[in-house]
């Protein structure tokens, strides 16, 4: 493909971010769902604090209903999946119909989960389809730059979430080492010194999780 516009770049970047956000928050929700069923003392507000979303729910039951499925809730998993789909549809020419189809399948599975009495079965299909989306994107998108923009978004979102969740050094170092070459070859405007600072933060003897979130969100200059 030819020159990638700023709008296309932003859409590719946020396609990577939203798909990763859905995948990682679903994984976290799976573990919390079991706890909400088995432990009457489970406080869903701990989940909200971990992923840094406002507590608009008021009860555990409302959280179980609204957080995964409420389209009017901008922080819900379904809302983020809708955003990934909206970007993917516009990017059909850049990513290909087969790649797009796995985001569509993930959305269909999430909509089925909303109506199901056993939602975790369909939610697992959402995660499986997002994994397939990443695999097919890597295999079928010819443009290395397009792939790198998507992957840069994916890695930035993962580092952001891992830092908010207090994930250990090993995982953070691994993700930062994967992020750096993607950003450098993405064609996006970025600050090299911030990449170096981010690497220092994840390798420091005492991890500054808030500092990691701040730095990873400020690396790129053209994303909105």
């Amino acid at each position: 493909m030819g020159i990638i516009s700023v709008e296309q770049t932003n859409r590719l970047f946020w396609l990577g971010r939203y798909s990763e956000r859905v995948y990682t928050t679903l994984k976290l929700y799976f573990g919390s769902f079991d706890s909400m069923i088995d432990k009457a003392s489970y406080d869903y507000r701990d989940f909200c604090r971990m992923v840094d979303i406002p507590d608009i729910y008021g009860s555990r039951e409302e959280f179980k209903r609204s957080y995964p499925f409420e389209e009017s809730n901008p922080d819900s998993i379904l809302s983020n999946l809708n955003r990934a789909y909206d970007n993917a549809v516009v990017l059909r020419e850049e990513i290909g119909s087969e790649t797009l189809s796995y985001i569509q399948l993930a959305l269909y599975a999430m909509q089925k989960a909303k109506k199901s009495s056993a939602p975790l079965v369909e939610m697992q299909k959402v995660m499986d389809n997002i994994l397939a989306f990443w695999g097919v994107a890597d295999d079928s998108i010819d443009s290395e730059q397009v792939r790198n923009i998507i992957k840069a978004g994916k890695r930035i979102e993962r580092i952001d979430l891992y830092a908010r969740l207090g994930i250990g050094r090993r995982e953070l170092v691994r993700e930062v080492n994967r992020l750096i070459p993607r950003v450098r070859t993405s064609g996006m405007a970025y600050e090299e010194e911030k990449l170096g600072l981010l690497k220092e933060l994840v390798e420091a003897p005492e991890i500054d999780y808030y500092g990691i979130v701040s730095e990873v969100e400020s690396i790129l200059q053209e994303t909105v």
Side-chain angles (χ1 to χ4, degrees):
M1 63 178 294
I3 297 173
I4 303 175
S5 70
V6 173
E7 181 182 358
Q8 289 170 318
T9 296
N10 283 337
R11 287 190 177 277
L12 289 164
F13 174 78
W14 282 102
L15 173 58
R17 289 201 67 158
Y18 286 131
S19 60
E20 172 62 30
R21 190 175 301 174
V22 170
Y23 181 79
T24 295
T25 54
L26 262 178
K27 282 180 65 176
L28 188 59
Y29 181 80
F30 263 56
S32 297
F33 188 90
D34 290 339
S35 298
M36 282 186 279
I37 292 174
D38 296 336
K39 299 177 183 178
S41 61
Y42 178 84
D43 190 346
Y44 73 91
R45 290 172 292 189
D46 290 338
F47 184 99
C48 296
R49 283 191 290 269
M50 281 192 295
V51 296
D52 194 28
I53 60 174
D55 174 15
I56 61 171
Y57 307 100
S59 71
R60 184 172 56 177
E61 288 305 314
E62 179 61 16
F63 172 79
K64 286 168 61 179
R65 184 198 67 81
S66 177
Y67 178 69
F69 304 124
E70 182 55 66
E71 294 190 67
S72 64
N73 176 2
D75 296 309
S76 75
I77 296 172
L78 181 54
S79 289
N80 284 307
L81 185 51
N82 278 328
R83 294 185 192 108
Y85 175 74
D86 289 344
N87 281 298
V89 167
V90 175
L91 294 165
R92 182 191 295 268
E93 184 175 339
E94 287 75 24
I95 67 175
S97 295
E98 184 180 7
T99 307
L100 167 62
S101 70
Y102 285 99
I103 295 293
Q104 289 176 311
L105 289 170
L107 185 56
Y108 295 156
M110 197 65 185
Q111 290 168 341
K112 286 182 67 176
K114 183 176 182 178
K115 301 174 183 177
S116 174
S117 59
L120 295 190
V121 174
E122 296 299 331
M123 286 181 178
Q124 182 61 56
K125 294 179 183 178
V126 176
M127 295 170 64
D128 292 344
N129 281 307
I130 291 176
L131 288 173
F133 159 73
W134 289 333
V136 172
D138 202 38
D139 185 64
S140 65
I141 296 176
D142 292 330
S143 170
E144 182 179 7
Q145 185 180 4
V146 168
R147 296 197 305 271
N148 285 336
I149 294 169
I150 294 172
K151 289 180 179 179
K154 172 183 175 181
R155 297 298 170 195
I156 283 176
E157 183 68 25
R158 183 171 293 184
I159 293 165
D160 179 282
L161 286 171
Y162 280 15
R164 293 179 190 277
L165 297 169
I167 300 294
R169 180 192 317 281
R170 181 178 178 181
E171 290 81 2
L172 285 168
V173 169
R174 181 171 182 261
E175 294 304 325
V176 168
N177 286 335
R178 287 179 163 190
L179 168 69
I180 289 172
R182 299 299 179 188
V183 170
R184 286 174 174 163
T185 55
S186 68
M188 294 185 286
Y190 70 95
E191 296 189 38
E192 180 67 32
E193 62 272 21
K194 287 188 176 291
L195 288 178
L197 180 55
L198 182 62
K199 188 172 177 63
E200 290 176 10
L201 285 168
V202 298
E203 293 176 348
E206 185 173 343
I207 299 179
D208 177 3
Y209 288 107
Y210 291 105
I212 292 170
V213 171
S214 177
E215 290 304 321
V216 79
E217 290 289 350
S218 65
I219 288 170
L220 300 176
Q221 301 172 352
E222 292 184 353
T223 53
V224 294

